[in-house]
Amino acid sequence: MTDRTSATSAGANGGRRSLGAARGGSRAARQPLERPAPLRQAVYDVIAEMIINRELQPGEHLVENELAAHLGVSRQPVREALQRLHNEGWVDLRPALGAFVHVPTEEEADQLLATRTLLETESARLAAKHATPEQVERLRELQRAGEQALSEDSQVALVEANAALHAYMVEMSGNKVLAQLIAMVDRRVRWYYSPIARSRGREAWDEHAALIDVIAGGNSRRAGEIMRKHTERTRESYHQRRKEGGGQDAAS
Amino acid sequence: MTDRTSATSAGANGGRRSLGAARGGSRAARQPLERPAPLRQAVYDVIAEMIINRELQPGEHLVENELAAHLGVSRQPVREALQRLHNEGWVDLRPALGAFVHVPTEEEADQLLATRTLLETESARLAAKHATPEQVERLRELQRAGEQALSEDSQVALVEANAALHAYMVEMSGNKVLAQLIAMVDRRVRWYYSPIARSRGREAWDEHAALIDVIAGGNSRRAGEIMRKHTERTRESYHQRRKEGGGQDAAS
DNA sequence: ACCTTGGCTATAGCATACAGTCGCCGAGAT
DNA sequence: ATCTCGGCGACTGTATGCTATAGCCAAGGT
């Protein structure tokens, strides 16, 4: 009982941690277009990030009170954020027990990768189908960003550039439904294999370059093929590393 | 306001209040295996159903208080149900304004159908790849159920049988991630075009029969092809009917 | 020594209370 | 007559209080 009291009192807007502070200043702004951006969104972002970079480990019990106290908000936004994380497969919600960080299984990882291949392949095909010169130029920009990260040997930048490139290609596809699905799947894929795959680096970005060329040429069939191979190789690399003992991560 | 009230009260059909009552008596039960099955789940089911069968119309403002009152629960489970409905694309959540039943656009419908084709095609391919005789037998059972519905000219049964057949095929694919995506997409697809498509009936079920034969033979490539054509035809039928004036539904 | 059982604690689930915000409408000014 | 501004109602977003349950531990029985 005492702990809960302390937890809530800490959260009782007396010490809004980063979350409240970031919003407090917007008081002056009066534009009708500006959306308040609910707390639960911020809470969701923070928790999701904590899960992704392993601050919260798979299987870990996410106690609403603790999270609320930690973030300086009440349980309510935390609950709603957890719900959303559940819908998107990040946490398991066991009735009357609460939320637990999802524990990835080998099977699931494989299925995710397979599904990703399917979706990304289609995305590439569509992107090639109606690519405009401006879009291609944008792709090349992103490609250069990747090369840069590669030369600087910055893993973080590399992962980011990779995500950006794929994301933009999806956007180019013009299919928002597809984009939504890919967003979900991709994020989880990255979570699964990011700690293992030191990124195929050079190789992967060469493939990207080739892919962009094909897209520029508008050859949708070939674009799809290249993307399939590209993601398949990532998948293979994933399996290989797992066998080699990168298994610190996934599954039991 | 009055019109909406009448709509919802009509939908609540009086008996819906049982949500709370059905659980009240569980006090005596002591089995550890018995899952409490949270209220929000029930609430979600009810609201989703109301949306699907048009008791709640596209664009309609879903006021938390009213839903809560009609269902006999507090706002809390309603909120959480709405969150989930939002993630799955059924309702739009406008900050500080609330939840609105999603308004389908023509573009979106098309993208949904295209995505469905992609996913279902893959599902069929995988199903064919490792189909067991038992599974094939089950498929034929479902097929017979469809034929039955067809001969009885029962639209409801037909839609149900159709859903069951596709769902089982997805299950056969063995890819749970894929299954999850298809479940989401399919449900929305059905929502979009159900009021228009009087189901292609005979024709569609003939295609099903052919598909099952191919799956039984384990020809995955061909299974995928057939499924693609199958769903593409549905798509065409959708567009055709829209142009003919079935546009009472989608978009503005 | 092992199993059973009853109470205890921590925590989720639900309900209720409070506060801030958006949009509307009418009154007053130009 | 039109435009602006201030009050008002409604509803969401957030906080907090309450209750029931799951899991644990210890005490007692077999």
Side-chain angles (χ1 to χ4, degrees):
Chain A
M1 190 180 184
T2 39
D3 49 338
R4 176 153 65 63
T5 309
S6 66
T8 47
S9 69
N13 114 34
R16 278 277 162 82
R17 284 199 132 84
S18 44
L19 292 186
R23 298 156 40 81
S26 67
R27 183 72 170 69
R30 258 330 195 127
Q31 318 211 347
L33 287 175
E34 182 176 341
R35 295 299 182 185
L39 267 191
R40 59 165 184 271
Q41 175 65 37
V43 172
Y44 167 88
D45 289 338
V46 172
I47 299 180
E49 201 181 312
M50 289 203 295
I51 291 178
I52 290 175
N53 55 236
R54 298 296 196 280
E55 277 175 57
L56 298 174
Q57 299 207 345
E60 189 166 338
H61 186 182
L62 302 179
V63 178
E64 294 177 358
N65 273 326
E66 292 180 7
L67 289 171
H70 184 61
L71 297 172
V73 298
S74 79
R75 283 175 51 208
Q76 184 75 8
V78 173
R79 276 184 70 80
E80 298 185 358
L82 289 176
Q83 296 281 336
R84 182 168 162 201
L85 288 164
H86 169 62
N87 292 354
E88 294 174 7
W90 295 102
V91 312
D92 299 324
L93 236 45
R94 299 170 52 189
L97 287 186
F100 299 79
V101 178
H102 179 72
V103 179
T105 66
E106 192 178 349
E107 180 195 25
E108 196 185 357
D110 196 55
Q111 296 180 351
L112 267 172
L113 286 163
T115 306
R116 184 180 87 127
T117 294
L118 179 71
L119 297 174
E120 291 267 21
T121 298
E122 179 72 1
S123 150
R125 267 191 29 202
L126 292 174
K129 214 165 196 169
H130 31 256
T132 70
E134 294 78 32
Q135 288 175 327
V136 172
E137 185 42 47
R138 173 81 182 126
L139 281 179
R140 295 211 193 276
E141 255 177 54
L142 294 169
Q143 157 79 11
R144 279 192 288 273
E147 296 285 351
Q148 169 100 16
L150 203 58
S151 69
E152 289 173 3
D153 201 36
S154 162
Q155 275 295 319
V156 178
L158 199 60
V159 168
E160 208 164 303
N162 191 42
L165 182 62
H166 279 256
Y168 188 68
M169 223 173 280
V170 171
E171 192 186 321
M172 283 175 63
S173 79
N175 187 328
K176 288 176 192 137
V177 175
L178 189 64
Q180 191 191 335
L181 298 186
I182 289 182
M184 276 178 52
V185 171
D186 258 29
R187 213 162 157 206
R188 287 178 66 189
V189 163
R190 243 172 278 132
W191 181 53
Y192 274 54
Y193 89 134
S194 73
I196 311 182
R198 282 257 81 75
S199 244
R200 293 181 300 120
R202 177 78 271 145
E203 193 188 10
W205 284 90
D206 285 347
E207 289 166 15
H208 284 161
L211 179 55
I212 293 175
D213 286 341
V214 172
I215 288 178
N219 188 337
S220 65
R221 222 177 81 86
R222 228 177 113 50
E225 265 321 300
I226 292 184
M227 180 60 106
R228 183 201 311 286
K229 276 179 196 153
H230 176 64
T231 54
E232 279 298 341
R233 285 208 191 94
T234 303
R235 188 177 172 192
E236 281 161 22
S237 129
Y238 168 77
H239 281 125
Q240 203 168 351
R241 299 207 185 237
R242 271 208 85 255
K243 278 184 187 163
E244 281 171 10
Q248 38 134 334
D249 171 51
S252 53
Chain B
M1 187 184 186
T2 38
D3 46 343
R4 177 156 58 60
T5 307
S6 65
T8 46
S9 68
N13 78 7
R16 279 310 183 191
R17 302 230 152 75
S18 52
L19 286 187
R23 298 156 41 78
S26 67
R27 180 71 171 70
R30 260 325 199 128
Q31 314 211 349
L33 287 175
E34 182 177 340
R35 296 295 183 183
L39 268 190
R40 58 169 182 269
Q41 176 65 40
V43 172
Y44 168 86
D45 289 338
V46 172
I47 299 180
E49 200 182 313
M50 289 203 294
I51 292 177
I52 291 176
N53 55 236
R54 300 294 199 280
E55 279 174 55
L56 299 174
Q57 298 206 347
E60 189 167 338
H61 187 183
L62 302 179
V63 178
E64 295 175 358
N65 268 325
E66 294 186 4
L67 289 172
H70 278 300
L71 296 172
V73 298
S74 79
R75 279 177 56 206
Q76 182 77 8
V78 173
R79 277 183 71 81
E80 297 182 359
L82 289 176
Q83 297 276 339
R84 183 169 160 200
L85 288 164
H86 170 62
N87 292 47
E88 294 173 9
W90 295 104
V91 312
D92 299 325
L93 235 47
R94 298 169 54 187
L97 289 185
F100 299 79
V101 178
H102 180 71
V103 180
T105 65
E106 192 178 348
E107 179 195 27
E108 196 185 355
D110 195 54
Q111 296 180 351
L112 266 172
L113 286 164
T115 306
R116 184 179 87 128
T117 294
L118 179 71
L119 296 174
E120 291 267 21
T121 298
E122 180 72 0
S123 150
R125 270 191 24 203
L126 292 174
K129 212 166 196 169
H130 30 255
T132 69
E134 294 79 31
Q135 289 175 325
V136 172
E137 185 43 46
R138 174 81 182 127
L139 281 180
R140 295 211 192 277
E141 256 177 53
L142 293 169
Q143 157 79 9
R144 279 192 288 274
E147 296 286 351
Q148 170 98 14
L150 203 57
S151 68
E152 289 173 4
D153 200 37
S154 162
Q155 274 295 321
V156 178
L158 199 60
V159 167
E160 207 166 302
N162 191 40
L165 182 62
H166 279 256
Y168 188 67
M169 225 174 278
V170 171
E171 192 185 322
M172 282 176 63
S173 80
N175 187 328
K176 287 178 192 136
V177 175
L178 189 65
Q180 192 190 332
L181 298 186
I182 290 182
M184 274 178 53
V185 172
D186 259 29
R187 211 161 156 207
R188 286 179 68 189
V189 164
R190 245 171 278 133
W191 181 52
Y192 276 54
Y193 89 133
S194 72
I196 311 182
R198 284 259 79 77
S199 245
R200 292 182 299 121
R202 176 79 267 148
E203 191 187 13
W205 283 90
D206 284 347
E207 289 166 14
H208 284 161
L211 178 57
I212 293 175
D213 286 341
V214 172
I215 287 177
N219 188 337
S220 64
R221 224 178 78 89
R222 228 176 113 52
E225 266 321 301
I226 292 184
M227 181 60 104
R228 183 201 311 286
K229 277 180 196 151
H230 177 63
T231 53
E232 279 298 340
R233 284 206 191 95
T234 303
R235 190 176 171 192
E236 281 161 23
S237 128
Y238 168 76
H239 281 125
Q240 203 168 352
R241 299 208 185 235
R242 272 207 85 254
K243 278 184 187 162
E244 283 171 9
Q248 38 132 331
D249 171 51
S252 52

